[in-house]
Structure formats: C-alpha cells, structure tokens
Amino acid sequence: MQVLVVEDEQRMAELLDRTLQEEGHQVVVSNDGRAGFEIARSSPFDMIILDVTLPGMDGLTVARKLREYKNQTPILMLTARDSSADIVQGLDSGADDYLTKPFSLDVLLARMRAVSRRGAVPRSACLELGEVRLDPASHSVTRAGEVVNLTPREYKLLELLLRNRGRAVSRDAILQSVWGFDHEVSENNLEVFVRQLRLKVDTGEHKLIHTIRGFGYIMREP
Ligand code: CA
C-alpha cells in the first residue's frame, strides 16, 4: 500500500516509517498538518495515518477538510488522549478508525488491515440499521420506509449512534456531541431524551438501541 504518515514526533514518525516499510508498504512521512493535507490532496494514497496534535493544522481539521474535498482515503487517527469525546470527534471528522497512544505496532498493523479491507466508505451514503435509515444528504430519517420526524437533537443523537453502530458511545460523548459544553443537561434528561428517540425509531420487534448500564448506549443489529 501507499501510506501517508502525518506525525510530528520524530521518533514515532521514524518508527512508523521503518515498520511500514518492513511490511512492504511505500511510505511518505509529513511532520506538519498543513503540509500533510496538501500531500494527501495531491497524490493518491491507500491509507493515511494521522496524528491529532500537529503543527500547521490539527489532525481533526485535516480529516474534515479531506472529506470536504471528497478525498475518501481511509484514515487511521492516532490520538494521545483516551477520552471518548475525542474519539467521537475523530470519527465525526471523517476518520475510519483510531488508535490511542501508546499502541503496539501489531495492533496498528491489524487496524490498518481492517480499515483497508473495509475500503473507502462513501461519505454521503445513507446510514442504515435494521429498518432505520438516515440520509445525511437530505437530513431525513425513515423507519420501514415511513418518514420519522425528529427534532434536530434527536437527529444528531441518532446519527451519532448510527455512525458508531456496533460500538458503545458513552453518555459524556453524547452530551458533548449533541448538546455541546454550553448546556446543562443531566443524565436523567438524557434518559428521557433517549426514551423519546426509542418511541420514534426503535418500535420494531427487535430493538436496535441498547443501554449499557453505567456507560452509555450502543446501536446494533438485534
Ligand atoms: Ca503530535
């Protein structure tokens, strides 16, 4: 594979460069976000390994801008912070997967194989699970073909859960992503809110939205 590594920590960049070359990949290394973005735009890569904290332009912005420019190259994001809000932000920005530093090289290579197997995901594609279908292009939701009217926040929550389908999303990540930092929302409010969403979209025989006690929620196939 042709791999672009955008990482400003010299030792990490060298380690990734050497390891990936030993695995038979062709590697280009950039140590600046803006430069990395330009390189990613100007030549085709099979995979981008992108650090979050970078000089020039941070990794979240690089990922978001690449997707804005219709660049669909799979992105594996490296984050030093193991906070689920950061991870959600990373995935929302257009990254396909993430690794929290420090990570083992074996895990990195395994994640790269998994992401590359999935291939480039069309970003505007509908998000679907069971009978629920969310179309980001038209901002609409249907269940079993019937239009479901959601408030903007319900839509945002459903989109967040669908984009992370099969993965648990913490209450903190939901509160931050749906309400932001400015709003005071209690966890009780969140439960009421999720109940409303369930009544609108999760009315089938097999439930899709599941509570993970003490953590948050997950949306997955029955
Ligand atoms: Ca860095």
Side-chain angles (χ1 to χ4, degrees):
M1 287 198 285
Q2 307 270 356
V3 183
L4 172 63
V5 173
V6 190
E7 166 63 271
D8 59 317
E9 288 161 54
Q10 193 71 19
R11 282 177 57 192
M12 175 62 88
E14 280 169 12
L15 180 65
L16 290 173
D17 188 14
R18 194 169 60 240
T19 307
L20 294 176
Q21 290 204 40
E22 278 167 10
E23 289 288 310
H25 301 301
Q26 268 121 32
V27 186
V28 174
V29 176
S30 170
N31 52 24
D32 176 274
R34 193 169 298 277
F37 169 71
E38 293 302 334
I39 295 167
R41 273 191 68 199
S42 54
S43 32
F45 288 91
D46 302 299
M47 171 91 49
I48 300 170
I49 298 178
L50 181 61
D51 191 26
V52 171
T53 43
L54 288 167
M57 188 191 290
D58 70 87
L60 297 173
T61 309
V62 173
R64 198 165 45 244
K65 286 185 67 125
L66 285 173
R67 297 315 184 214
E68 276 169 20
Y69 281 92
K70 308 288 176 220
N71 182 309
Q72 311 275 318
T73 308
I75 295 175
L76 187 58
M77 198 162 264
L78 305 180
T79 166
R81 299 162 295 183
D82 190 12
S83 123
S84 39
D86 284 340
I87 290 163
V88 169
Q89 263 195 321
L91 295 171
D92 277 353
S93 72
D96 295 81
D97 206 347
Y98 63 88
L99 270 180
T100 305
K101 290 179 183 174
F103 50 83
S104 88
L105 291 168
D106 286 343
V107 172
L108 169 79
L109 295 171
R111 289 286 177 86
M112 284 179 65
R113 284 192 293 273
V115 167
S116 105
R117 260 199 308 275
R118 271 183 263 152
V121 184
R123 300 292 144 187
S124 59
C126 289
L127 300 167
E128 273 181 273
L129 190 71
E131 294 184 323
V132 178
R133 185 183 163 96
L134 182 148
D135 182 359
S138 63
H139 227 260
S140 63
V141 175
T142 58
R143 193 185 60 78
E146 300 281 319
V147 174
V148 180
N149 289 311
L150 297 181
T151 66
R153 285 210 170 109
E154 288 166 347
Y155 177 91
K156 227 171 162 180
L157 173 60
L158 182 64
E159 187 180 22
L160 178 66
L161 292 174
L162 278 172
R163 282 198 190 282
N164 290 284
R165 56 192 176 275
R167 268 185 220 264
V169 184
S170 73
R171 285 192 296 248
D172 280 350
I174 292 171
L175 292 175
Q176 193 187 323
S177 183
V178 177
W179 280 272
F181 287 115
D182 306 339
H183 295 80
E184 292 260 317
V185 186
S186 73
E187 295 194 351
N188 278 346
N189 292 151
L190 179 58
E191 272 173 39
V192 172
F193 184 76
V194 170
R195 196 176 312 144
Q196 292 284 110
L197 181 65
R198 280 182 165 134
L199 288 174
K200 289 188 180 178
V201 299
D202 203 8
T203 51
E205 191 188 340
H206 303 290
K207 297 300 172 209
L208 303 172
I209 301 173
H210 303 269
T211 304
I212 299 178
R213 215 171 283 279
F215 183 77
Y217 298 91
I218 186 170
M219 213 166 165
R220 61 165 178 248
E221 293 277 15

